[in-house]
Amino acid sequence: MSDSSTTHTGRHFFARLRWIVPSAFLALTAWLLWRGVDEFNLPEVQRTLLDVPTLPALGVAALATLSVVFTGCVDILIGHWLKLGLRTRDYLRLAFVANSLANTLNLSGAVGAGIRLMGLTSQRVELPRAAALIGMQALSLPLGLSLLVVLTLVTSSLPMTSGTAQRIAAFGILVAAALYLPLYFFLTTRRALMRWLPAEMGMPPLPLKLQLTLISFLDWLLTAATLYACLYLSGAHVKPGLMLGAFAGATTLGLVSLVPGGLGVFDGLMLLALTEAGYDHAPIVSGLVLFRIAYYLLPLLGSLYLGSEMLTQRMPLLNRLRQRLAGHPLFGVLGLPVTLLADLGTRLLAVLTFGAGAMQLASAAIPSVIEHIEVVRANLPILAVESSNWFSIVSGVLLLGLARGIDGRLRLAYRVSQWLLLLSAGLAITKGLHFGEALFLLAVAALLRTRKRAFTRRAMTLTSATTLGWYAGLLLCVLVFFAIGVAQVLGDDSFDLFYVGFGEHTSRIGRGLAAALLGLVIYTIWQVFAVKRPQLVLPDHNELERARALYREHGGGEFAHLTFMADKHLFWAADHQAVIAYGAIRDRLVALGSPCGTDAGIDRAILDFRHFADAQDRMPVFYEVLEPDLSRYHDHGFDLFKLGELALVRLEEFSLAGKRWEDLRQACNRAQKEKLTFTLVYPPFDTALVSELERVSDAWLADKEGNEKGFSLGRFDPAYFAWSPLGLVHRDGELIAFANVLPPYGPGGHASVDLMRHVADAPRSTMDFLFAKVMLWAQEQGYAIFSLGMAPLSRVGDNPYARVNERLAALAFQYGNRLYNYQGVRKYKDKFKPDWVGSYLAYPRGTWVPGLLIDIAALVSGGYRRFLIGGS
């Protein structure tokens, strides 16, 4: 087995583990809770949360923030040892953003590592030293937890679950965690294992490692103190030793589980350990909820605010570093998710928006405790409570759906979400004095506001896998809400839909089902009309004349004349200094050739076209761009795939005399013996000639059993013929072949022919004769270059270092002649002794090229229906 296949198998195995391990831990935790917790009293948990005093809760939030910030001291110590020269506040800000996101996502340290790398490189830190800080930070952070596990094991203060198998498994993991501390001190003295450190730095000195251990230990103690404070405020006065032991065990197992943030595993194990120690489950659950809010959610919101600009503006830098990172020994350990970081801030805001909608549905589905009902009765009128509850359900469903638009950076979704979040915050107060819910909704609205510039799209794809995933989440939440509502309604024998009262939860949720259904209907209507892509309009005659004027002044390249088929849309860019002719297929916008216009306008047109496509959630593609322009596309972030080569004849060298053109001269001599004559006619063309042209065209299509094409290939269309001369070949006065002649446009333009057709019994020399006559005419006109068109797949992937896609294309060129005469086209054009120029496909990085080529083939055929089943 080759090294590459072994690597692929290994990656596939670890990818599966990332799903299997978290699922197994969550299932095991759920099973242990089901066995170990007798009952779960939700109203009691609500009552406990409502009793938490506000000022101490704010103090806990400050302690949690301090704990997350304090983790940055590890970065400071390592940075000073590496002599990076950054300010303390730079370390702390970067560490706060990285740690807050890493605490929540926990993708094997990849998110924190990626954000640190982004921040350090933006501060002009050299890649080896940036990687050294990241590696040392990742290795040093668990030191304090390992020491904490050691202390709890030594003091026997670590609570263990009942059951021999679970006890042995948990004990084994914790012993391994305890061994991390001595292993760290031993292994960090081995250069072979620390080869990613800069050579001039040497190995980490013992004082540094002791300092890192102390800082890490204090960091984990601060985290444990935050949890202890949350439990204390909720009424669970846990003994400090017991709490530390449970925290050490649950944290270790939560990290090993690979579940983001240890969500579910850490909380379940803490609940199980403390309830088995005799504490009531309601205050423990309340304390864990407060801990999640204080230590995870609030720092996450703060890091989004601080890091939102960094996450969007530094991605070009990360893209440029990808090749360098691939060769670094630390890269494989980090597994940096570049595509995740590309839009991490917006993606998390989408999740928060979705969470805001889900929270409103949950708030409506969960009945209030009696004490809270009494407070509401004393402060709010019943009409405000009922109407606010009903409208908050509608708003919640809409926010669930709008989260997809936030994820897709849809401008309209951003605006609607802003208003709905503000309205929902007001409804949270008037429906039941839910101040915490209102603050969360306002916080999400504020965070959305900080990313206002990211929402640039006017439309988005409604049928992508991503969109369908968001739809599934929306439907799941609404179905769960309906299930809860129906279960409560059917379980209440005294249910009356129209009975109104402060404590009448069943009637209220029954009316809420209609509100949820209305929200779904409103969202569906909004999706159909609001995010629909704008209708692309084909150019009229006046716009085509404007395009021709620009081509004549600044040049039109190889494909300018194909614009006049009027089957392509025109994108005017760079303040009308450049124009792009393009077609649309699925979510692709495919430009034919390079933009035409001023030199400065061409560069700007490429960027404008990318923005135009991105605003509609489409993919910009440039089809058949030539070698001289490739640097433009590389600089704008496109990848390149070679399509073939273009045959260009220098007309100053062309002549029917001499040995070089002997084959062509002989073909012309045979044509004269066969009484073939050539004439060039100019528009307008009379109806008799058009009828003759149509006869020849129909005969050619019938002989080839083909259909008319388009986009990059000419088709029979009298309106198209009216833009240029026609070359006609007659035999004894009968039209047997023709071609429309394409004049060059502006400086550097190419004369050419496009649509070439002949009757089945035309002599073999007919098309050679036609080409020769057109080239002699172009030479007389003073044109410099004549294009014979492209030889598809010519010289594609013909060396061992070519890309995989191009090497597969080379196989098609070599063995695919039964489908298309690739080699025959190359051989035929070779006899004109042309210069060969590479023609390329420019496409955004990460695109699957075979699928893109299929889309373009369908576009040329006139759509997927004609491409798959044929027909006109």
Side-chain angles (χ1 to χ4, degrees):
M1 184 180 291
S2 66
D3 291 343
S4 61
S5 61
T6 303
T7 302
H8 176 75
T9 303
R11 288 178 179 175
H12 186 65
F13 174 73
F14 283 112
R16 285 189 174 184
L17 279 183
R18 288 186 178 181
W19 288 98
I20 294 172
V21 173
S23 301
F25 266 92
L26 286 171
L28 178 61
T29 304
W31 180 65
L32 291 173
L33 284 172
W34 180 71
R35 288 186 56 196
V37 179
D38 295 332
E39 61 178 11
F40 187 80
N41 192 335
L42 181 59
E44 185 64 26
V45 174
Q46 290 179 272
R47 185 179 295 107
T48 306
L49 283 171
L50 290 172
D51 288 341
V52 173
T54 303
L55 287 178
L58 293 176
V60 168
L63 178 62
T65 304
L66 174 64
S67 176
V68 177
V69 171
F70 185 80
T71 310
C73 293
V74 173
D75 297 64
I76 294 173
L77 281 176
I78 299 171
H80 287 167
W81 174 63
L82 291 170
K83 298 181 174 61
L84 300 186
L86 301 184
R87 296 171 296 182
T88 299
R89 67 179 184 182
D90 293 330
Y91 286 115
L92 291 178
R93 177 184 173 181
L94 182 59
F96 177 75
V97 174
N99 294 332
S100 299
L101 292 171
N103 285 345
T104 306
L105 298 178
N106 192 35
L107 297 177
S108 304
V111 172
I115 294 172
R116 280 184 172 85
L117 177 64
M118 194 184 327
L120 292 171
T121 49
S122 69
Q123 297 283 349
R124 302 184 184 279
V125 175
E126 296 176 354
L127 178 59
R129 291 181 179 270
L133 184 143
I134 293 168
M136 284 293 296
Q137 193 272 345
L139 291 174
S140 303
L141 200 58
L143 290 172
L145 181 60
S146 179
L147 179 58
L148 189 59
V149 172
V150 170
L151 293 177
T152 53
L153 287 174
V154 169
T155 58
S156 301
S157 59
L158 188 68
M160 302 294 279
T161 63
S162 58
T164 304
Q166 295 90 342
R167 183 187 297 272
I168 292 174
F171 189 78
I173 293 174
L174 293 172
V175 168
L179 290 174
Y180 180 83
L181 183 65
L183 280 174
Y184 170 85
F185 278 86
F186 173 73
L187 296 177
T188 49
T189 60
R190 297 294 183 265
R191 186 72 204 186
L193 298 175
M194 305 288 287
R195 64 186 186 278
W196 39 268
L197 286 174
E200 67 275 12
M201 291 305 303
M203 301 303 292
L206 180 61
L208 174 66
K209 290 187 283 188
L210 292 174
Q211 290 173 343
L212 289 173
T213 304
L214 178 60
I215 292 295
S216 177
F217 182 67
L218 293 176
D219 176 44
W220 287 106
L221 284 182
L222 274 174
T223 306
T226 304
L227 175 59
Y228 180 81
C230 291
L231 292 171
Y232 191 89
L233 285 180
S234 299
H237 298 171
V238 184
K239 294 179 180 179
L242 175 65
M243 209 287 304
L244 271 179
F247 172 80
T251 301
T252 303
L253 294 171
L255 290 173
V256 173
S257 73
L258 302 180
V259 177
L263 185 63
V265 176
F266 170 82
D267 313 87
L269 293 175
M270 285 295 302
L271 176 60
L272 188 63
L274 296 181
T275 51
E276 286 190 355
Y279 294 93
D280 186 29
H281 78 274
I284 297 172
V285 171
S286 301
L288 291 170
V289 170
L290 286 178
F291 179 67
R292 284 288 174 183
I293 294 173
Y295 189 77
Y296 290 89
L297 181 59
L298 294 181
L300 172 65
L301 299 180
S303 67
L304 279 176
Y305 176 78
L306 291 175
S308 60
E309 292 299 322
M310 179 179 70
L311 288 169
T312 53
Q313 293 177 1
R314 301 301 180 187
M315 279 313 299
L317 179 62
L318 268 186
N319 285 328
R320 289 195 296 271
L321 285 172
R322 290 180 72 178
Q323 294 299 323
R324 296 170 60 194
L325 285 171
H328 197 278
L330 196 61
F331 180 77
V333 178
L334 297 178
L336 179 63
V338 175
T339 54
L340 173 66
L341 290 174
D343 208 15
L344 183 59
T346 307
R347 177 62 54 86
L348 285 176
L349 285 177
V351 172
L352 289 174
T353 304
F354 189 90
M359 182 179 63
Q360 291 189 81
L361 294 186
S363 176
I366 299 173
S368 298
V369 295
I370 298 299
E371 294 85 348
H372 187 67
I373 293 173
E374 295 301 326
V375 175
V376 172
R377 187 196 306 271
N379 292 275
L380 295 173
I382 187 61
L383 181 62
V385 173
E386 293 292 342
S387 59
S388 298
N389 187 81
W390 200 85
F391 282 112
S392 69
I393 295 174
V394 176
S395 173
V397 173
L398 292 176
L399 286 172
L400 289 173
L402 287 168
R404 170 62 187 110
I406 298 299
D407 184 40
R409 296 187 287 117
L410 196 64
R411 184 73 174 174
L412 185 58
Y414 161 77
R415 291 172 177 168
V416 176
S417 297
Q418 281 278 284
W419 284 107
L420 275 178
L421 287 166
L422 295 175
L423 174 64
S424 299
L427 293 173
I429 303 299
T430 56
K431 76 178 181 181
L433 301 176
H434 298 305
F435 295 104
E437 182 179 330
L439 286 174
F440 175 75
L441 293 167
L442 290 174
V444 176
L447 286 169
L448 275 175
R449 178 69 182 178
T450 65
R451 297 297 302 275
K452 180 179 180 180
R453 287 182 294 176
F455 298 96
T456 56
R457 289 179 177 166
R458 300 192 300 271
M460 68 180 185
T461 305
L462 298 180
T463 56
S464 66
T466 301
T467 300
L468 295 177
W470 283 101
Y471 289 165
L474 163 65
L475 291 176
L476 179 63
C477 283
V478 174
L479 286 175
V480 169
F481 177 75
F482 264 82
I484 294 173
V486 170
Q488 293 192 29
V489 168
L490 294 179
D492 189 345
D493 295 335
S494 61
F495 167 69
D496 184 350
L497 181 64
F498 300 103
Y499 187 78
V500 176
F502 285 98
E504 295 300 322
H505 176 73
T506 305
S507 301
R508 187 175 298 128
I509 197 173
R511 293 188 292 272
L513 299 181
L517 183 61
L518 177 63
L520 277 177
V521 171
I522 294 173
Y523 177 71
T524 302
I525 295 173
W526 181 83
Q527 279 286 84
V528 170
F529 293 102
V531 301
K532 188 177 180 180
R533 293 186 175 118
Q535 187 69 32
L536 300 175
V537 180
L538 292 173
D540 57 18
H541 187 81
N542 291 333
E543 191 173 8
L544 292 176
E545 286 286 3
R546 283 167 43 212
R548 180 158 69 170
L550 184 142
Y551 295 156
R552 286 173 172 171
E553 182 178 359
H554 300 292
E558 175 71 15
F559 307 102
H561 195 81
L562 293 175
T563 301
F564 306 123
M565 283 199 298
D567 66 341
K568 290 171 282 294
H569 314 283
L570 296 183
F571 176 73
W572 294 89
D575 299 325
H576 281 241
Q577 296 180 52
V579 67
I580 296 174
Y582 69 96
I585 184 80
R586 293 200 311 122
D587 62 342
R588 328 284 200 186
L589 296 184
V590 184
L592 181 58
S594 292
C596 301
T598 65
D599 190 62
I602 290 174
D603 274 326
R604 183 174 162 190
I606 295 171
L607 187 59
D608 287 350
F609 191 64
R610 289 208 74 160
H611 290 158
F612 173 68
D614 185 65
Q616 302 177 40
D617 195 19
R618 294 180 187 260
M619 178 184 295
V621 180
F622 288 85
Y623 180 62
E624 294 197 46
V625 297
L626 305 183
E627 285 179 3
D629 292 326
L630 296 187
S631 62
R632 299 181 189 271
Y633 298 95
H634 177 272
D635 292 345
H636 285 88
F638 287 90
D639 272 349
L640 299 166
F641 173 84
K642 189 173 184 180
L643 298 167
E645 291 184 312
L646 191 71
L648 301 179
V649 177
R650 298 182 184 277
L651 291 175
E652 63 181 10
E653 302 173 358
F654 178 71
S655 171
L656 293 180
K659 186 173 180 59
R660 180 180 178 185
W661 310 100
E662 183 177 0
D663 291 343
L664 198 59
R665 183 174 65 250
Q666 290 177 358
C668 291
N669 291 336
R670 285 196 303 269
Q672 290 177 353
K673 291 178 182 179
E674 291 165 343
K675 299 180 181 180
L676 302 186
T677 59
F678 173 82
T679 55
L680 192 74
V681 295
Y682 291 84
F685 307 118
D686 58 42
T687 55
L689 176 58
V690 171
S691 297
E692 283 292 292
L693 296 172
E694 188 172 15
R695 175 186 61 80
V696 174
S697 178
D698 291 344
W700 186 86
L701 289 171
D703 182 59
K704 302 298 182 183
E705 297 181 351
N707 298 306
E708 293 285 10
K709 304 296 185 182
F711 187 65
S712 61
L713 299 174
R715 66 169 182 265
F716 185 89
D717 182 0
Y720 174 49
F721 293 160
W723 291 88
S724 65
L726 289 172
L728 310 177
V729 177
H730 290 83
R731 179 178 57 189
D732 292 331
E734 178 190 6
L735 182 68
I736 63 169
F738 73 90
N740 65 323
V741 180
L742 313 185
Y745 292 93
H750 304 159
S752 185
V753 295
D754 178 26
L755 192 71
M756 299 172 290
R757 293 189 175 171
H758 58 81
V759 296
D761 61 346
R764 291 180 57 188
S765 59
T766 300
M767 299 314 293
D768 288 348
F769 174 64
L770 189 151
F771 263 119
K773 290 297 185 180
V774 172
M775 291 169 69
L776 289 171
W777 167 84
Q779 189 180 57
E780 292 172 0
Q781 301 300 312
Y783 302 150
I785 301 292
F786 186 86
S787 172
L788 297 170
M790 191 173 74
L793 303 186
S794 171
R795 302 291 302 275
V796 175
D798 59 352
N799 70 78
Y801 299 103
R803 296 183 179 185
V804 173
N805 285 326
E806 292 183 352
R807 280 184 282 169
L808 292 174
L811 295 177
F813 180 83
Q814 188 173 358
Y815 301 108
N817 268 14
R818 293 180 59 185
L819 300 175
Y820 183 87
N821 190 18
Y822 296 107
Q823 297 180 33
V825 171
R826 168 79 190 209
K827 185 176 180 180
Y828 175 78
K829 295 180 179 182
D830 250 339
K831 68 184 179 182
F832 291 88
K833 305 299 186 290
D835 296 331
W836 292 99
V837 177
S839 177
Y840 292 80
L841 177 71
Y843 58 93
R845 292 190 179 112
T847 306
W848 189 52
V849 175
L852 187 54
L853 294 175
I854 292 172
D855 285 332
I856 294 173
L859 179 62
V860 172
S861 297
Y864 264 100
R865 187 183 66 82
R866 294 183 61 185
F867 176 65
L868 296 173
I869 63 176
S872 58

